[in-house]
């Protein structure tokens, strides 16, 4: 038989009321007060951090330059960039295609015209790959059109623009903005023949640039009345 509340003594009723109040209060504290108190603490910490950042933050001063002047300068630079791009495209159109057979034949004919002995004629690989000798060209192929291939695309591991302190061979190597095919020639010729050959490079169908040239005297002296034979190494950008 259930015990009625009226039958309990005053002391027992008070203890029961305290127990019920403690249970209700404990549930409220665990469910409502503790999460709210934690959220308030987080907001307080975030506010203090924001105030600290505001105290240490320096507001930059307004630039003294006129906005209209800066906009005008920016427009001028954009026009200059467009002009440089147009000029670069026109220069690229005048260059020889990669692996141009016509240009290589023209260089060989120029050396033969000035009675220069070509000791070596090979494609130069600045990236360390082995150089491939230029194949022999028949008369039928000399009369044909120049062969064209796609130039080497820049790679992710190579610098697009080498520093100015780098050599032109490095600045025009594969993977750079100024990439051009290179040809290495080793020649035997007199000083006058070598000079005429280098001068004649400017009159070929396509531009040819001498990137490096070394000249040495042959160990054997020339007979009296004959010009001294020189050995020259030329690296050409085609």
């Amino acid at each position: 038989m259930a015990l009625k509340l009226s039958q309990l003594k005053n002391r027992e009723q008070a203890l029961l009321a305290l127990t019920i109040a403690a249970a209700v209060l404990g549930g409220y504290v665990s469910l409502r007060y503790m999460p709210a108190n934690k959220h308030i603490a987080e907001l307080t910490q975030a506010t203090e951090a924001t105030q600290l950042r505001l105290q240490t933050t320096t507001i930059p001063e307004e630039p003294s330059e006129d906005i209209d002047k800066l906009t005008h300068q920016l427009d001028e630079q954009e026009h200059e960039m467009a002009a440089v791009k147009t000029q670069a495209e026109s220069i690229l159109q005048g260059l020889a295609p990669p692996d141009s057979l016509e240009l290589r034949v023209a260089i060989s004919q120029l050396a033969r015209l000035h009675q220069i002995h070509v000791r070596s004629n090979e494609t130069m690989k600045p990236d360390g790959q082995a150089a491939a000798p230029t194949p022999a060209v028949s008369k039928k192929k000399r009369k044909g059109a120049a062969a064209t291939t796609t130039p080497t695309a820049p790679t992710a591991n190579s610098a697009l623009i080498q520093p100015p302190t780098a050599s032109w061979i490095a600045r025009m190597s594969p993977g750079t903005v100024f990439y051009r095919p290179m040809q290495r020639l080793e020649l035997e010729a007199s000083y006058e023949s070598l000079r005429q050959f280098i001068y004649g490079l400017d009159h070929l169908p396509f531009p040819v640039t001498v990137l490096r040239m070394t000249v040495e005297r042959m160990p054997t002296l020339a007979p009296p009345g004959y010009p001294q034979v020189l050995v020259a190494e030329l690296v050409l950008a085609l």
Side-chain angles (χ1 to χ4, degrees), residues 35-106:
N37 188 43
K38 181 179 179 182
H39 183 62
I40 293 173
E42 292 176 351
L43 292 177
T44 304
Q45 185 178 4
T47 302
E48 293 176 353
T50 302
Q51 292 177 351
L52 181 61
R53 286 197 300 269
L54 291 176
Q55 293 175 0
T56 58
T57 301
T58 57
I59 301 176
E61 297 181 358
E62 183 179 358
S64 58
E65 294 86 354
D66 187 6
I67 300 298
D68 295 335
K69 182 179 179 180
L70 294 177
T71 304
H72 179 67
Q73 292 178 355
L74 180 60
D75 293 338
E76 289 182 348
Q77 292 179 359
E78 290 179 351
H79 288 307
E80 291 177 358
M81 289 294 296
V84 170
K85 183 178 180 181
T86 303
Q87 184 179 5
E89 291 177 353
S90 63
I91 294 175
L92 288 175
Q93 291 177 358
L95 296 177
D99 298 332
S100 173
L101 187 61
E102 178 184 357
L103 183 56
R104 284 172 169 77
V105 170

Side-chain angles (χ1 to χ4, degrees), residues 1-232:
M1 183 173 179
L3 183 63
K4 294 183 179 179
L5 185 60
S6 58
Q7 297 177 354
L8 296 176
K9 297 180 180 180
N10 293 335
R11 184 178 179 182
E12 293 176 346
Q13 292 180 0
L15 291 176
L16 180 59
L18 289 175
T19 303
I20 296 174
V24 173
L25 182 61
Y28 174 80
V29 169
S30 61
L31 296 178
R32 297 294 301 274
Y33 177 77
M34 293 299 294
N37 188 43
K38 181 179 179 182
H39 183 62
I40 293 173
E42 292 176 351
L43 292 177
T44 304
Q45 185 178 4
T47 302
E48 293 176 353
T50 302
Q51 292 177 351
L52 181 61
R53 286 197 300 269
L54 291 176
Q55 293 175 0
T56 58
T57 301
T58 57
I59 301 176
E61 297 181 358
E62 183 179 358
S64 58
E65 294 86 354
D66 187 6
I67 300 298
D68 295 335
K69 182 179 179 180
L70 294 177
T71 304
H72 179 67
Q73 292 178 355
L74 180 60
D75 293 338
E76 289 182 348
Q77 292 179 359
E78 290 179 351
H79 288 307
E80 291 177 358
M81 289 294 296
V84 170
K85 183 178 180 181
T86 303
Q87 184 179 5
E89 291 177 353
S90 63
I91 294 175
L92 288 175
Q93 291 177 358
L95 296 177
D99 298 332
S100 173
L101 187 61
E102 178 184 357
L103 183 56
R104 284 172 169 77
V105 170
I107 294 174
S108 300
Q109 291 177 345
L110 181 63
R112 188 162 47 253
L113 175 64
H114 296 292
Q115 299 179 354
I116 295 177
H117 174 60
V118 181
R119 296 172 58 176
S120 175
N121 183 4
E122 58 187 11
T123 300
M124 185 172 180
K125 302 289 186 181
D127 56 357
Q129 298 178 3
T134 301
V137 181
S138 63
K139 294 183 178 180
K140 292 182 179 180
K141 291 183 178 180
R142 292 180 185 179
K143 296 180 181 179
T148 59
T149 58
T150 303
T152 304
T155 59
N157 297 327
S158 61
L160 294 179
I161 299 180
Q162 295 288 343
T165 55
S167 65
W168 273 109
I169 294 179
R171 296 169 70 179
M172 302 180 74
S173 59
T176 61
V177 173
F178 307 109
Y179 163 69
R180 291 306 301 165
M182 301 181 195
Q183 199 74 6
R184 177 184 174 276
L185 302 177
E186 191 173 344
L187 310 174
E188 288 185 11
S190 64
Y191 170 80
E192 183 62 24
S193 298
L194 185 60
R195 186 185 69 84
Q196 293 179 359
F197 172 77
I198 296 175
Y199 176 78
L201 293 176
D202 293 334
H203 302 279
L204 294 179
F206 299 100
V208 177
T209 305
V210 180
L211 301 182
R212 185 180 70 193
M213 181 178 68
T214 58
V215 181
E216 296 180 357
R217 181 177 61 84
M218 288 283 288
T220 305
L221 295 178
Y226 289 89
Q228 177 62 45
V229 179
L230 305 174
V231 177

